[in-house]
Each structure stands twice: as structure tokens, then as C-alpha cells.
């Protein structure tokens, strides 16, 4: 299937890895062991646009983090799973409980813990600086690096393929 077909294939859910996708993947610690993560504001706006277009999201991170919870609250993301050992199993179960088809999910990841999930969902995306194996198995590799606005790129691509992007921009011009 061509990339444009995959992009428009009724994707209604974005499943997001955090480290290496919403951040650059580096783990920053302060002197007292407090964690610091750097998020890109453009990703935040892209999430708002995605929600405005009727899309939904879940966060699936392998690491426990209160910061992720806080950022998700800021962005109105209700479904947040951190400290996840098996991302595929979690999302599979999530889809079963919420009556979502895996084929309607797009997962964005950067590393091998994302591999199985990336293969099983409708659209598997890897960031440009992701693990070579993940890139090789992805339906799409972004031009953006992790933490530098990946979501901004992906949301525009999907909404464009679904024919919704221009309308959103036109609405913004009228405001
Ligand atoms: Mg990651």
C-alpha cells in the first residue's frame, strides 16, 4: 500500500511513545535526582489540532514519569500509561476495552520496545533518528527528529491525507 493510502486509512487514534518521540530521548536529572524532560511546544499545538479534528490519543511509555502525567494533563490527554513493559499487549488490551480497531491506530516510536506495536497497528511511524531496525519496519519515517516537533509533522500528514488539514487552516485564518 502506498504511504498516502496508509495515512488516510481511517486513523483516529495516535499512540505516542514519550522518550525519543516527544523528547529527544535524553534523560536529564537534577542534583536531587529530579527528572527534567524537554517537550516541544509545536507538538502541543499539533495535539490540540488533532483533537479538534476529532482524533484521540494515548501515551504509552516504558518509563515511569510524573512529568509525563503532568504534560498529558496540560494537553488534555486522558489515556496515559507509563512504566509499560509490553507496549503491544497494553495497546491491544486498550483497543479491546475501548472498541478501537488496531488498524485505526497510528503508533509513533523511536526504539525497539516499539517494534511489535509499530508492526501491528494500522500505521507505524518511526522518527528520523530512531533505531535502524524500527526505521526498516516502519510504514513511514519522519523527517523530524525526536523532540523537535515530530507530532507537528505527523498530524499535518495524516490530516492532509484525510482531507481535513486545509479546512483547519482556513478556520484559523478566520479567527
Ligand atoms: Mg522511546
Amino acid at each position: 500500500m502506498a504511504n498516502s493510502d496508509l495515512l488516510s486509512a481511517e486513523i483516529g487514534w495516535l499512540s505516542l511513545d514519550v522518550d525519543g518521540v516527544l523528547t529527544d530521548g535524553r534523560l536529564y536529572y537534577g542534583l536531587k535526582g529530579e527528572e527534567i524532560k524537554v517537550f516541544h511546544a509545536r507538538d502541543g499545538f499539533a495535539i490540540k489540532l488533532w483533537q479538534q479534528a476529532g482524533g484521540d490519543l494515548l501515551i504509552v511509555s516504558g518509563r515511569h514519569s510524573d512529568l509525563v502525567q503532568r504534560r498529558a494533563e496540560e494537553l488534555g490527554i486522558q489515556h496515559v500509561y507509563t512504566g509499560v513493559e509490553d507496549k503491544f499487549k497494553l495497546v491491544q488490551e486498550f483497543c479491546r476495552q475501548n472498541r478501537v480497531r488496531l488498524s485505526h491506530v497510528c503508533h509513533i516510536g523511536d526504539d525497539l520496545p516499539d517494534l511489535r506495536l509499530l508492526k501491528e497497528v494500522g500505521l507505524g511511524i518511526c522518527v528520523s533518528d530512531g533505531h535502524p531496525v524500527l526505521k526498516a519496519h516502519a510504514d513511514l519515517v519522519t523527517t523530524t527528529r525526536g523532540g523537535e516537533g515530530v507530532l507537528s509533522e505527523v498530524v499535518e500528514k495524516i490530516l492532509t491525507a484525510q482531507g481535513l488539514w486545509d479546512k483547519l487552516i482556513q478556520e484559523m485564518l478566520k479567527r
Side-chain angles (χ1 to χ4, degrees):
M1 219 189 302
N3 273 338
S4 58
D5 295 334
L6 282 167
L7 281 164
S8 59
E10 298 182 52
I11 298 298
W13 282 81
L14 288 181
S15 158
L16 307 173
D17 175 30
V18 176
D19 297 307
V21 173
L22 294 181
T23 76
D24 64 8
R26 284 186 280 190
L27 306 172
Y28 300 84
Y29 292 100
L31 273 179
K32 290 171 189 163
E34 72 275 24
E35 198 184 1
I36 296 150
K37 283 191 193 297
V38 181
F39 296 102
H40 203 298
R42 214 148 56 207
D43 280 337
F45 190 70
I47 287 172
K48 292 256 171 282
L49 275 182
W50 176 249
Q51 291 164 327
Q52 214 176 306
D56 223 322
L57 306 108
L58 69 153
I59 283 180
V60 191
S61 175
R63 293 173 53 82
H64 274 297
S65 171
D66 293 337
L67 280 175
V68 171
Q69 197 70 43
R70 195 170 138 191
R71 179 68 175 147
E73 270 168 36
E74 239 175 34
L75 297 169
I77 302 176
Q78 290 174 358
H79 310 287
V80 184
Y81 303 94
T82 64
V84 177
E85 279 196 21
D86 188 328
K87 293 184 184 187
F88 170 63
K89 270 198 185 138
L90 183 126
V91 172
Q92 189 183 40
E93 181 60 17
F94 177 88
C95 285
R96 202 184 57 76
Q97 283 179 9
N98 293 279
R99 295 169 185 275
V100 175
R101 286 188 194 176
L102 266 178
S103 61
H104 292 179
V105 176
C106 163
H107 180 69
I108 313 173
D110 74 311
D111 204 356
L112 294 179
D114 301 292
L115 183 60
R116 173 95 198 268
L117 179 56
L118 184 129
K119 289 298 288 177
E120 299 280 349
V121 291
L123 178 64
I125 297 183
C126 180
V127 297
S128 69
D129 56 334
H131 194 289
V133 172
L134 199 72
K135 277 167 104 168
H137 282 89
D139 297 308
L140 191 101
V141 177
T142 62
T143 56
T144 315
R145 296 167 63 87
E148 294 183 356
V150 167
L151 222 47
S152 185
E153 179 186 338
V154 170
V155 165
E156 179 175 349
K157 277 207 166 88
I158 296 177
L159 292 181
T160 300
Q162 294 178 342
L164 298 170
W165 180 255
D166 285 345
K167 203 176 137 221
L168 282 170
I169 299 297
Q170 286 307 318
E171 276 169 19
M172 261 184 251
L173 287 166
K174 278 185 233 156
R175 263 181 230 156

